[in-house]
């Protein structure tokens, strides 16, 4: 059997097409072994393979690749082109395909949230019109059919009734494709055809697809025994679906049944409210275990001790106890009520009591639970992460720290040792089993909540943090996958002038690629148990990550990795005399010291600095890094002016122009971001300032773009191929030009925020200009809510009031309900696929329901690395469900915006 593949694709000079698939002839899905195709003409590329009976191949699953002139590989959307090989062998099969651009918005509708929840309409009962003695097998995708609708075929073929739309041929639905087998052996002329929509319930033709007629040439009909045509997408308005959602952390939920913190069981109440109000999506912050120090600092949800384990704080202990052991919880009734009535989350108290209760329940239920058939099934599927996590928690609890390098035993991970400790007969098993028990109960409760959401036609969206804690199970198990000597963060922005240092180690992408990105694939697999879509936190980190050396504290002393540094020769080539001491060391004069420390200057100089023969100052070795300075102040008793002195010292360490790249084969350097704001730069002569600035601008805004584009295209296509969840990227901050291009190419939804426009020279992003493949929101958990933002800068809100809202005169001092409503409506009516709102912003449109204090609704302050994440709803979910008037009002806004 010969199979000839033709794909319709117009290439440029230097480009080539390749083919990959699940059989040896196509490279067994290995890109490096892909089959090269031959250029046929301006419209087609083709290749032919031979299949022997002895190969015993039942089906071929394949896709195409484009190799650019620079060697970069671009893959099309893959996974659903399958050729079933019948038992009856045909000498020649011709396959005609359309390139399926991965960024086509239609592909979004074939992801999990749409296929399994939002568009899960049962195909109506009808009889498709397959013809006997078929010569052609036509296949097309139609993602947005209404109830009762099917795809039909009309055309000029003799047996098709000459475009008779009263009795069109009805296609059959199988997997993602609508298909029909037709016999065109008697045709003598080219056949023109189109697909259409037919309602089989009402027996009525609905509409033709748009665009020009599709064509089958007579020569193509005659020269093969059987032709399979993948016609891509039906040409209908496939960008009309839009949905609205709510974003809220689980810990912020409040119900009468919870225990001072939102719990997985509370999600059912949130689902009920979302369903009543017309929302289609619930977006959560990470729900992974973050227990490291057992203090309130563990409230930070982006610093998980496991990328797989769920947080015990979200467990509803009453549901675990059930009727059999509910009496155990009676003594906690008063404390539960007190914690539940608290305006904010008392993380430490809630966690301590919940773990205490869980250990009691484990003593009563643990043995039976771990012996159950259901648990054993859960354990088998999750053993690869559950065993290391349980042993990690055992050691963390034993030594009272998650810093595994401080443990007296188990500080280095050994798989065999962990396996032995998890055996039922090991002396540690009872303690380790507690964590098995807890994770299993968490799994049951979250899974039940998700299934309930799906039953109400609501999808769940999770969050993938960009990093992992350096004191985590993941780092303990595989430290080689991370650069522990670096800290991930973000460069300075309007919300954090000194940049951000998240403290996470950065990823060793080369090591991850070497093992086929196993950790990432397992992470996505785990997430898919509970979520239909996910947000990639700081997707820019997949292009380049802001990396801060371990010896520094402020994000401002970071640099992008990877990036192309500046060679020492480039300074001379640009007319700059290179001075290492002047450019790379902190620039500290007597005047700068006095400006920084005022009356405390003499005391500070004596303790922290030395002076050279030129009258310049330098840090003594004991304090020459920010980490050393912070460690010193952490150990001494606080004094009134210690904070300002420490801040001044940290700023002086950062008063440099260039950051040398240690360990490089030749002298290369990186510009310190915000160079022009440093007094080091400001004390240079104007001519030198201008020369350095030109090099600085080129370094940050031009030089790296191609490098970062290639870096992302090494990672993101693989990560996207590992899951069929809908992927959204948080593409905020210092966004290179290549980022929107790559995200569009891969069909990853962008994030659009009105007060954070991505185009320079624009004060506000206008919701009506949002791209279809995007999520639009007025605020995120890292920002102030609408009402708090209104009070931050009166000049900005005045400008917004006049320019965006179109109002005349002075803006109100507070963000009144009608203003919030106007902003929400702008977002609902945008063309974006998703408009997602924080609960605080939704409630802000109602004067009776909104919080009395807008400052109490902030979830996180990114500029504060020690922020306490403790925001809770001021209303109980049960009470919110009773607000019928508000529900009807907001529901009407959603319905009107979707017409």
């Amino acid at each position: 059997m010969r199979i000839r593949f033709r794909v319709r694709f117009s290439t440029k000079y230097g480009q080539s097409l390749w083919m990959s698939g699940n059989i040896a002839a196509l490279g067994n899905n290995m890109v490096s072994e892909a089959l090269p195709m031959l250029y046929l003409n301006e419209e087609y590329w083709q290749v032919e393979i031979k299949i022997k009976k002895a190969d015993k191949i039942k089906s071929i699953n394949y896709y195409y690749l484009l190799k650019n002139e620079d060697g970069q590989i671009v893959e099309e959307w893959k996974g659903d082109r399958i050729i079933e090989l019948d038992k009856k062998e045909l000498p020649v099969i011709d396959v005609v395909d359309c390139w399926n651009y991965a960024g086509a918005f239609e592909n979004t509708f074939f992801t999990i949230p749409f296929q399994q929840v939002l568009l899960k309409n049962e195909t109506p009962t009808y009889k498709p019109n397959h013809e006997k003695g078929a010569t052609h097998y036509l296949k097309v995708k139609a993602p947005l059919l209404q109830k009762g609708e099917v795809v039909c075929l009309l055309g000029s073929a003799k047996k098709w009734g000459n475009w008779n739309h009263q009795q069109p041929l009805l296609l059959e639905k199988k997997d993602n494709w609508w298909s029909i087998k037709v016999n065109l052996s008697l045709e003598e002329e080219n056949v023109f055809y189109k697909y259409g929509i037919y309602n089989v319930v009402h027996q009525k033709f609905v509409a033709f697809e748009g665009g020009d007629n599709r064509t089958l040439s007579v020569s193509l009909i005659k020269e093969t025994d059987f032709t399979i045509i993948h016609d891509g997408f039906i040409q209908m308005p496939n960008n009309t679906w839009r949905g609205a959602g709510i974003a809220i952390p689980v810990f912020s939920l409040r119900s009468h049944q919870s225990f001072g913190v939102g719990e997985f069981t509370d999600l059912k109440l949130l689902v009920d409210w979302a369903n009543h109000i017309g929302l289609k999506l619930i977006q959560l912050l990470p729900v992974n275990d973050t227990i490291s120090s057992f203090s309130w600092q563990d409230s930070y949800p982006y610093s998980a001790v496991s990328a797989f384990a769920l947080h015990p704080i979200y467990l509803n202990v009453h549901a675990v106890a059930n009727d059999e052991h509910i009496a155990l919880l009676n003594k906690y009734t008063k404390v539960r009520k007190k914690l539940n009535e608290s305006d904010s989350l008392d993380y430490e108290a809630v966690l301590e009591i919940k773990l205490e209760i869980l250990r009691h329940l484990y003593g009563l239920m643990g043995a039976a639970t771990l012996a159950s058939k259901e648990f054993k099934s859960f354990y088998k599927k999750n053993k690869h992460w559950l065993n290391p996590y349980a042993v990690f928690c055992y050691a963390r609890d034993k030594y009272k720290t998650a810093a595994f390098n401080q443990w007296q035993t188990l500080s280095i991970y050994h798989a065999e040792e962990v396996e032995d400790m998890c055996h039922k007969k090991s002396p540690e098993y009872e303690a380790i089993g507690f964590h098995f028990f807890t994770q299993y109960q968490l799994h049951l409760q979250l899974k039940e909540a998700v299934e309930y959401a799906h039953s109400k036609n609501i999808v769940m969206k999770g969050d993938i943090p960009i990093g992992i804690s350096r004191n985590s199970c993941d780092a303990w198990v595989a430290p080689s996958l991370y650069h522990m000597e670096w800290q991930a963060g973000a460069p300075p922005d309007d919300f954090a002038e000194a940049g951000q240092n998240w403290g996470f180690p950065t990823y060793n992408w080369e090591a991850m690629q070497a093992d086929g990105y196993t950790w990432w694939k397992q992470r996505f697999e785990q997430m898919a148990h509970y979520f239909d879509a996910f947000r990639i936190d700081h997707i820019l980190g997949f292009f380049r990550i802001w990396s801060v050396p371990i010896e520094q504290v402020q994000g401002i002393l970071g640099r992008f990795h990877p990036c192309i540094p500046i060679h020492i020769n480039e300074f001379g080539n640009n007319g700059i005399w290179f001075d290492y001491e002047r450019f790379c060391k902190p620039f500290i004069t007597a005047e700068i010291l006095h400006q920084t420390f005022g009356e405390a200057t003499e005391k500070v100089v004596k303790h922290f600095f030395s002076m050279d023969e030129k009258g310049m100052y330098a840090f003594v070795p004991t304090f020459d890094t920010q980490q050393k300075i912070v460690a010193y102040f952490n150990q001494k008793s606080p004094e009134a002016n210690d904070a300002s002195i420490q801040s001044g010292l940290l700023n002086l360490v950062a008063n440099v122009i260039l950051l040398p790249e240690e360990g490089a084969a030749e002298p290369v350097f990186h510009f310190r971001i915000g160079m022009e704001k440093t007094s080091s730069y400001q004390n240079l002569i104007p001519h030198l300032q201008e020369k350095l600035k030109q090099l600085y601008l080129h370094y940050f805004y031009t030089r790296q773009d191609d490098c970062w584009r290639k870096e992302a295209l090494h990672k993101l296509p693989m990560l996207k191929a590992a899951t069929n969840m809908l992927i959204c990227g948080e593409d905020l901050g210092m966004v290179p030009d290549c980022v929107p291009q790559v995200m569009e190419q891969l069909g990853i939804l962008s994030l659009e925020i009105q007060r954070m426009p991505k185009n320079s020279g624009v004060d506000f992003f206008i919701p009506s200009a949002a791209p279809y493949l995007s999520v639009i929101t007025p605020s995120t958990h890292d920002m102030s809510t609408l009402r708090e933002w209104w009070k931050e800068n009166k000049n900005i809100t005045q400008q917004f009031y006049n320019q965006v809202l179109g109002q005349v005169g002075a803006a109100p001092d507070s963000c009144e309900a009608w203003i919030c409503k106007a902003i929400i409506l702008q977002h609902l009516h945008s063309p974006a696929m998703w408009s997602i709102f924080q609960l605080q912003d939704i409630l802000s449109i109602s004067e009776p329901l909104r919080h009395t204090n807008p400052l109490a609704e902030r979830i996180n302050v990114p500029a504060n690395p020690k922020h306490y994440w403790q925001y809770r709803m001021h209303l109980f979910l049960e009470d919110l469900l009773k607000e019928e008037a508000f529900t009807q009002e907001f529901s009407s806004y959603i319905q009107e915006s979707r017409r």
Side-chain angles (χ1 to χ4, degrees):
M1 176 189 295
R2 291 161 42 216
I3 304 179
R4 181 170 55 232
F5 294 91
R6 302 184 189 184
V7 60
R8 189 180 297 117
F9 192 91
S10 180
T11 51
K12 298 185 294 186
Y13 180 78
Q15 294 179 324
S16 59
L17 287 188
W18 300 65
M19 198 176 171
S20 183
N22 66 326
I23 62 175
L26 298 177
N28 290 319
N29 283 323
M30 296 175 60
V31 173
S32 59
E33 302 297 323
L35 182 67
M37 302 186 73
L38 299 175
Y39 176 82
L40 184 62
N41 52 46
E42 291 184 355
E43 192 174 2
Y44 285 99
W45 284 70
Q46 78 172 26
V47 71
E48 186 175 294
I49 63 173
K50 292 182 179 180
I51 304 293
K52 300 177 182 178
K53 259 190 177 182
D55 296 331
K56 296 182 179 180
I57 297 172
K58 295 181 179 180
S59 64
I60 302 174
N61 190 330
Y62 66 97
Y63 65 98
Y64 299 102
L65 307 98
L66 170 68
K67 183 179 286 188
N68 284 316
E69 54 270 33
D70 62 357
Q72 189 71 46
I73 299 291
V74 177
E75 298 180 358
E76 64 164 356
W77 182 279
K78 56 187 179 182
D80 60 0
R81 273 209 210 91
I82 302 174
I83 299 175
E84 305 288 349
L85 300 182
D86 297 331
K87 294 180 181 178
K88 179 183 176 183
E89 186 171 330
L90 297 170
V92 180
I93 295 178
D94 206 50
V95 181
V96 183
D97 290 320
C98 296
W99 174 273
N100 186 0
Y101 174 53
F105 54 77
E106 290 92 345
N107 284 318
T108 306
F109 299 114
F110 294 97
T111 56
I112 287 173
F114 290 98
Q115 287 296 295
Q116 297 185 9
V117 184
L118 298 169
L119 301 180
K120 194 178 180 181
N121 295 326
E122 291 188 7
T123 304
T125 302
Y126 69 102
K127 186 177 181 180
N129 297 108
H130 292 301
E131 296 179 353
K132 294 182 179 179
T135 59
H136 287 69
Y137 191 18
L138 305 180
K139 304 176 77 173
V140 71
K141 293 182 182 180
L144 292 182
L145 297 186
Q146 301 300 311
K147 189 173 182 179
E149 293 181 345
V150 303
V151 178
C152 62
L153 177 69
L154 309 94
S156 63
K158 295 176 181 177
K159 295 197 298 182
W160 296 357
N162 193 24
W163 301 95
N164 181 5
H165 66 272
Q166 298 300 322
Q167 292 182 318
L169 301 180
L170 305 184
L171 278 67
E172 177 184 25
K173 178 72 183 298
K174 186 177 180 182
D175 298 324
N176 293 340
W177 295 93
W178 291 85
S179 60
I180 187 168
K181 294 179 181 178
V182 295
N183 187 337
L184 299 177
S185 58
L186 300 179
E187 296 302 320
E188 298 175 355
E189 298 179 350
N190 290 347
V191 174
F192 302 98
Y193 67 101
K194 272 191 173 186
Y195 297 103
I197 306 297
Y198 188 83
N199 191 304
V200 296
V201 176
H202 301 296
Q203 298 288 299
K204 181 180 179 181
F205 179 76
V206 178
F208 280 103
E209 67 173 337
D212 296 334
N213 292 337
R214 302 174 189 256
T215 307
L216 285 170
S217 67
V218 174
S219 59
L220 193 62
I221 293 173
K222 300 297 183 183
E223 67 184 27
T224 57
D225 296 285
F226 191 69
T227 301
I228 300 172
I229 298 178
H230 291 103
D231 262 329
F233 299 106
I234 192 169
Q235 297 183 41
M236 302 294 288
N238 290 327
N239 61 347
T240 57
W241 192 97
R242 292 181 297 130
I246 181 173
I248 189 168
V250 173
F251 62 78
S252 299
L253 298 175
R254 183 198 293 260
S255 79
H256 290 300
Q257 303 305 315
S258 52
F259 208 127
V261 65
E263 298 168 341
F264 287 149
T265 50
D266 292 328
L267 287 169
K268 289 185 178 182
L269 290 171
L270 182 63
V271 166
D272 286 337
W273 181 74
N275 183 48
H276 290 160
I277 210 166
L279 301 173
K280 294 295 183 183
L281 178 147
I282 292 174
Q283 176 176 316
L284 305 177
L285 293 188
V287 291
N288 299 97
D289 185 359
T290 61
I291 303 172
S292 179
S293 64
F294 294 91
S295 72
W296 65 265
Q297 295 185 47
D298 296 344
S299 67
Y300 180 32
Y302 287 89
S303 185
V305 297
S306 169
F308 300 88
L310 299 171
H311 203 309
I313 204 169
Y314 299 130
L315 199 57
N316 183 309
V317 291
H318 287 77
V320 175
N322 59 54
D323 293 340
E324 184 178 359
H325 303 291
I326 199 67
L328 172 69
L329 304 181
N330 289 340
K331 69 175 184 177
Y332 297 99
T333 301
K334 288 185 178 180
V335 68
R336 184 186 73 81
K337 184 178 180 182
K338 179 182 178 182
L339 289 169
N340 222 23
E341 290 176 349
S342 174
D343 292 336
S344 57
L345 167 62
D346 187 337
Y347 180 90
E348 294 175 8
V350 171
L351 183 63
E352 181 181 0
I353 294 171
K354 281 203 172 188
L355 290 178
E356 178 183 312
I357 294 172
L358 283 170
R359 291 190 184 279
H360 283 310
L361 290 173
Y362 175 62
L364 296 170
M365 306 168 55
T369 300
L370 300 188
S372 69
K373 180 181 178 181
E374 293 78 10
F375 170 77
K376 289 178 180 178
S377 175
F378 167 79
Y379 178 78
K380 184 178 180 180
K381 293 176 183 176
N382 296 278
K383 180 181 177 181
H384 67 90
W385 67 264
L386 189 55
N387 276 1
Y389 165 76
V391 173
F392 177 88
C393 291
Y394 163 79
R396 175 200 63 193
D397 298 348
K398 179 179 179 179
Y399 297 114
K400 309 301 181 187
T401 179
F404 51 86
N405 59 354
Q406 298 177 23
W407 297 345
Q408 296 174 20
T409 61
L410 297 169
S411 60
I412 297 177
Y413 172 80
H414 295 290
E416 300 82 2
E417 185 178 16
V418 166
E419 187 77 14
D420 291 342
M421 292 177 69
C422 292
H423 193 275
K424 292 179 181 179
K425 294 183 180 181
S426 79
E428 301 90 357
Y429 182 75
E430 184 176 351
I432 288 171
F434 170 72
H435 303 290
F436 291 163
F437 171 80
T438 303
Q439 287 301 309
Y440 177 58
Q441 299 296 340
L442 285 161
H443 163 75
L444 293 177
Q445 291 189 8
L446 180 54
K447 192 69 174 174
E448 184 179 345
V450 169
E451 290 171 355
Y452 185 76
H454 290 171
S455 74
K456 300 293 185 179
N457 204 37
I458 291 174
V459 300
M460 301 296 293
K461 181 181 176 184
D463 197 321
I464 291 225
I466 187 59
I468 56 119
S469 170
R470 63 180 56 252
N471 296 323
S472 68
C473 180
D474 303 277
W476 177 58
V477 169
S480 63
L481 295 182
Y482 314 97
H483 291 300
M484 305 299 285
E485 71 278 14
W486 290 96
Q487 307 167 95
D493 57 26
D494 293 340
F495 305 100
E497 292 184 2
Q500 298 178 50
N501 179 359
W502 305 323
F504 310 139
T506 60
Y507 294 125
N508 183 346
W509 286 107
E510 293 78 10
M512 288 180 163
Q513 184 178 21
D515 80 341
Y517 298 101
T518 299
W519 181 79
W520 279 101
K521 291 175 181 177
Q522 290 175 337
R523 192 177 185 186
F524 287 148
E525 181 183 1
Q526 178 72 6
M527 199 164 192
H529 292 328
Y530 313 111
F531 297 104
D532 311 293
F534 65 89
R535 164 190 176 272
I536 299 180
D537 171 49
H538 193 65
I539 196 173
L540 304 183
F542 290 88
F543 293 77
R544 78 291 185 274
I545 192 71
W546 189 251
S547 303
V548 183
I550 194 68
E551 67 271 12
Q552 305 298 358
V553 173
Q554 293 178 323
I556 205 164
L557 280 174
R559 67 196 68 170
F560 286 121
H561 179 82
C563 74
I564 305 169
I566 299 183
H567 192 277
I568 192 170
N569 293 343
E570 293 184 61
F571 293 96
N573 294 340
N574 285 272
I576 301 169
W577 176 261
F578 187 83
D579 185 336
Y580 184 92
E581 291 291 324
R582 181 64 182 84
F583 293 160
C584 302
K585 297 291 185 180
F587 179 73
I588 307 172
T589 64
E591 181 182 3
I592 290 173
L593 287 169
H594 186 73
Q595 290 173 351
T596 304
F597 302 109
E599 294 179 357
T601 300
E602 185 176 349
K603 170 187 168 184
V604 171
V605 169
K606 184 177 180 180
H607 195 71
F608 294 96
F609 296 94
S610 62
M611 186 177 71
D612 64 17
E613 64 279 2
K614 296 179 181 178
M616 300 296 293
Y617 291 84
F619 283 96
V620 296
T622 314
F623 301 108
D624 61 358
T625 71
Q626 291 185 333
Q627 284 285 12
K628 292 178 181 179
I629 293 169
V630 169
Y632 168 77
F633 281 96
N634 285 343
Q635 292 173 1
K636 68 190 298 283
S637 299
E639 298 177 8
N641 62 345
D642 272 359
S644 61
I645 291 175
Q646 178 177 327
S647 176
L649 293 170
L650 295 179
N651 291 337
L652 288 181
V653 173
N655 191 28
V656 296
I657 293 173
L658 295 174
L659 305 171
E661 184 168 307
E662 305 295 339
E666 297 185 22
V668 291
F669 305 87
H670 303 269
F671 275 106
R672 203 220 81 170
I673 196 164
M675 168 195 73
E676 69 280 5
K677 295 181 180 179
T678 67
S679 55
S680 177
Y681 175 82
Q682 292 165 2
N683 276 272
L684 295 171
I685 60 173
H687 173 74
L688 185 52
Q689 286 182 348
E690 185 59 32
K691 290 288 185 181
L692 282 170
K693 188 173 182 180
Q694 291 175 8
L695 204 55
Y696 172 93
L697 293 173
H698 183 268
Y699 169 84
F700 275 114
Y701 298 102
T702 306
R703 183 187 189 99
Q704 317 295 344
D705 210 57
D706 190 55
C707 166
W708 291 339
R709 178 180 64 84
K710 291 178 179 177
E711 190 71 21
L713 288 174
H714 281 310
K715 306 165 190 169
L716 287 174
M718 179 286 309
L719 300 178
K720 193 169 187 294
T723 179
N724 197 33
M725 291 185 284
L726 178 65
I727 304 178
C728 310
E730 187 253 310
D731 53 336
L732 304 177
M734 193 174 174
V735 183
D737 291 340
C738 61
V739 172
Q741 299 166 10
V742 170
M743 290 178 67
E744 180 182 347
Q745 178 179 321
L746 298 177
I748 297 175
L749 275 64
S750 64
L751 179 62
E752 308 296 335
I753 300 179
Q754 194 166 37
R755 67 182 101 154
M756 291 184 68
K758 294 172 182 173
N759 295 333
S760 59
V762 177
D763 296 314
F764 303 102
F765 173 76
I766 305 302
S768 60
Y772 181 60
L773 287 186
S774 70
V775 173
I776 186 167
T777 183
S779 65
T780 74
H781 67 273
D782 279 331
M783 303 166 63
S784 52
T785 60
L786 284 174
R787 295 167 66 205
E788 184 183 358
W789 170 69
W790 197 265
K791 290 180 172 293
E792 288 175 354
N793 187 316
K794 184 153 182 71
N795 291 332
I796 291 177
T797 50
Q798 181 66 55
Q799 186 180 1
F800 181 86
Y801 184 75
N802 299 136
Q803 294 183 5
V804 179
L805 296 182
Q807 301 297 313
V808 178
D813 291 333
S814 63
C815 195
E816 298 172 0
W818 72 266
I819 296 176
C820 296
K821 185 185 300 184
I823 296 171
I824 295 288
L825 288 174
Q826 284 183 341
H827 287 68
L828 283 174
H829 284 272
S830 83
M833 175 178 281
W834 288 102
S835 51
I836 299 178
F837 308 94
Q838 291 197 85
L839 177 69
Q840 305 93 300
D841 288 336
I842 291 178
L843 297 180
S844 71
I845 75 170
S846 168
E847 290 289 356
L849 292 184
R850 54 171 35 190
H851 200 297
T852 55
N853 179 15
L855 302 181
E857 296 187 302
R858 183 72 177 259
I859 294 175
N860 179 41
V861 180
N864 178 12
K866 300 295 183 182
H867 178 75
Y868 192 171
W869 297 60
Q870 57 178 164
Y871 162 72
R872 297 186 75 201
M873 295 172 57
H874 67 288
L875 301 172
F876 287 93
L877 283 164
E878 294 93 340
D879 297 333
L880 186 58
L881 276 163
K882 296 175 184 176
E883 297 291 339
E884 288 294 335
F886 177 78
T887 298
Q888 291 177 11
E889 178 189 0
F890 200 86
S891 178
S892 69
Y893 297 149
I894 293 177
Q895 292 173 14
E896 290 170 8
S897 69
R898 300 303 177 245
R899 289 174 183 167

